[in-house]
Amino acid sequence: MANRWIKTNCLLASTAAFWLAALSPMPAIGKGISYSLALVAGVQLVRESQRLMIQEARRGALSAMNQELEQLEIALHTQQQEEALYEVYAPSTYPPEVETELKTSLEHLYKEPSAERHDGLTTSTSQKKGFYFAVVALLEVKGETFVIEQILKLGGRNWAEGKKYLQQILEEGASNGW
């Protein structure tokens, strides 16, 4: 590329020099030769400038295409991430009635006066087992965040406590072989 610019600038200087030489006081034959050489150098200058402009246009087009491809790649990557997140957090496969029933039963079990949050579950074994299965089912469908915030009602500042309580529920279920 630098070669084309150097060639173009040399042709421009030659054209100007031959033209100025033709304007100087010299014999007619010298003026004719200078005008002819200025004309030839001018034509070559136009051709070389045309090639240079085409080369610059191609470079600009390739640069724009590369930027467009990068943006398209970023958009596709973002779309793939969004699809993956949608698959993870997709609406549950349970019918709405079953999902609301699971949620209300879990809330009822959790809000029951005999259930202590800090000291573990103090309900009967069958209730503990049912609660464990409901929590595991909701973990599979909705995830840990949903269970802690919506079922255990320990989101926000109580997140660590909710996480610990959820872990306690899962450990108790695993130790009992449920």
Side-chain angles (χ1 to χ4, degrees):
M1 172 158 139
N3 190 20
R4 285 210 191 268
W5 278 102
I6 292 171
K7 192 173 182 180
T8 305
N9 287 330
C10 288
L11 284 170
L12 178 63
S14 299
T15 303
F18 287 132
W19 190 262
L20 289 174
L23 295 177
S24 68
M26 63 168 52
I29 189 100
K31 284 186 179 205
I33 292 173
S34 290
Y35 278 133
S36 298
L37 290 174
L39 185 62
V40 169
V43 169
Q44 287 296 333
L45 175 63
V46 169
R47 287 182 182 163
E48 198 60 37
S49 297
Q50 183 182 14
R51 289 182 192 133
L52 188 61
M53 287 188 293
I54 289 171
Q55 186 180 20
E56 287 295 318
R58 283 183 181 158
R59 181 174 288 115
L62 285 174
S63 174
M65 287 175 19
N66 284 338
Q67 284 180 337
E68 185 69 27
L69 286 174
E70 287 175 5
Q71 290 174 354
L72 183 63
E73 183 180 354
I74 290 170
L76 285 174
H77 184 66
T78 304
Q79 182 182 6
Q80 288 172 348
Q81 286 180 338
E82 287 176 357
E83 288 174 0
L85 286 174
Y86 180 76
E87 288 175 10
V88 170
Y89 295 109
S92 68
T93 56
Y94 293 120
E97 301 84 24
V98 173
E99 187 176 328
T100 56
E101 185 177 328
L102 279 172
K103 185 177 177 182
T104 54
S105 66
L106 279 173
E107 286 176 352
H108 173 71
L109 285 173
Y110 181 71
K111 291 179 181 178
E112 197 172 276
S114 63
E116 281 294 321
R117 292 184 187 162
H118 302 289
D119 299 333
L121 294 173
T122 57
T123 57
S124 69
T125 306
S126 64
Q127 286 179 336
K128 288 181 185 179
K129 190 174 183 179
F131 184 65
Y132 170 76
F133 285 131
V135 165
V136 169
L138 277 174
L139 278 174
E140 290 176 5
V141 174
K142 292 289 187 174
E144 182 180 78
T145 304
F146 178 81
V147 172
I148 292 172
E149 289 179 350
Q150 300 296 322
I151 305 304
L152 302 177
K153 302 288 186 198
L154 290 171
R157 293 181 189 166
N158 299 326
W159 179 263
E161 182 181 338
K163 182 125 172 116
K164 185 189 292 184
Y165 184 58
L166 178 62
Q167 189 63 32
Q168 182 183 3
I169 293 168
L170 295 175
E171 286 174 1
E172 184 176 355
S175 66
N176 290 330
W178 295 331

